[in-house]
Amino acid sequence: MDPELIRNIAVYALPVLFAITLHEAAHAYVARYFGDNTAYAAGRMTLNPLVHIDVFGTIVIPIALYLTTGFVFGYAKPVPVDFARLRNPKRDMAWVALAGPAANFIMAFLWLVLAVLLVAFGVDEAFPHKVAQAGLIANLLMFAFNLLPIPPLDGGRVLTSLLPNTLAYKFARIEPYGFFIVLGLIFFNLLAFWVMPVMGLGRMLLQLIASPLTLLLG
């Protein structure tokens, strides 16, 4: 196997693993907070990434995509959530959905802080710098992609929660076709029109939040 390929896989392995699995763990924690113990009872309310790994979605797909396109993406086993058990199902569904992207945003911030610290302390080895950048990019990508307002993605659930009941019911009916809609957006190269601006906005917010640390260590 190409040594460069092995190095690149090593760079992205942990950042992608945590970006995918802790996204799902966040859904579980927030669902329990709002009254649904389904994920907790299934043993999915944990920060242990091994519990959330889907062999196909967490390992095979990211590697295959990287080898064929250079694009790294994947998914973990979806956390089971029974929205009917939430104290206020329609309202709380939005908070449960937002928990995943919020976790990715927080992780992106932590990777950015690591990148700033590596520069500030004069770390010359390239590998940790590449890992920090991979963590930042992977989490911003997960953040942006999952906010796409198409169910069953998190953005779709948030929009369903915000719409009036009649419209929410009609909008939610497209969920069985959501996966195919997303595939179509990818096939026609339309997904980037959503993902890239949201990633850019997310990165600007992160840099703004981290600016005091950057100035302090600069």
Side-chain angles (χ1 to χ4, degrees):
M1 185 179 287
D2 182 3
E4 181 66 21
L5 175 61
I6 295 174
R7 282 193 293 270
N8 287 337
I9 291 176
V11 163
Y12 275 95
L14 279 179
V16 170
L17 175 65
F18 283 112
I20 293 172
T21 58
L22 297 190
H23 174 103
E24 293 299 330
H27 287 311
Y29 278 96
V30 175
R32 192 182 190 209
Y33 177 81
F34 284 106
D36 176 30
N37 287 324
T38 304
Y40 175 75
R44 298 293 305 282
M45 202 180 82
T46 174
L47 296 178
N48 179 3
L50 298 179
V51 174
H52 303 288
I53 286 176
D54 179 280
V55 174
F56 189 67
T58 315
I59 300 173
V60 175
I61 284 183
I63 292 176
L65 283 175
Y66 180 80
L67 292 176
T68 56
T69 68
F71 176 79
V72 179
F73 191 73
Y75 57 87
K77 290 186 290 186
V79 162
V81 177
D82 185 348
F83 294 107
R85 293 186 176 185
L86 299 173
R87 286 190 289 275
N88 186 325
K90 190 169 184 294
R91 181 199 65 195
D92 297 343
M93 173 173 60
W95 295 114
V96 174
L98 284 171
N104 289 123
F105 189 83
I106 292 170
M107 283 187 280
F109 174 72
L110 295 176
W111 285 113
L112 177 60
V113 169
L114 176 60
V116 171
L117 292 176
L118 289 172
V119 172
F121 288 101
V123 177
D124 294 325
E125 174 61 41
F127 183 77
H129 289 275
K130 290 182 179 179
V131 172
Q133 287 301 313
L136 177 62
I137 293 170
N139 279 285
L140 282 175
L141 178 59
M142 286 283 293
F143 169 78
F145 177 79
N146 281 284
L147 284 178
L148 185 69
I150 297 175
L153 295 178
D154 298 325
R157 297 203 186 280
V158 172
L159 184 54
T160 301
S161 175
L162 295 175
L163 288 171
N165 288 337
T166 303
L167 288 176
Y169 174 75
K170 292 179 179 178
F171 182 68
R173 292 175 66 182
I174 73 171
E175 181 167 332
Y177 314 103
F179 178 73
F180 300 102
I181 294 172
V182 172
L183 284 181
L185 292 174
I186 294 173
F187 181 79
F188 291 107
N189 295 317
L190 297 175
L191 189 61
F193 288 101
W194 169 269
V195 170
M196 298 310 294
V198 177
M199 285 184 69
L201 178 60
R203 189 160 195 156
M204 284 192 295
L205 288 173
L206 289 173
Q207 290 171 338
L208 180 62
I209 295 169
S211 59
L213 178 64
T214 305
L215 293 172
L216 178 65
L217 298 176

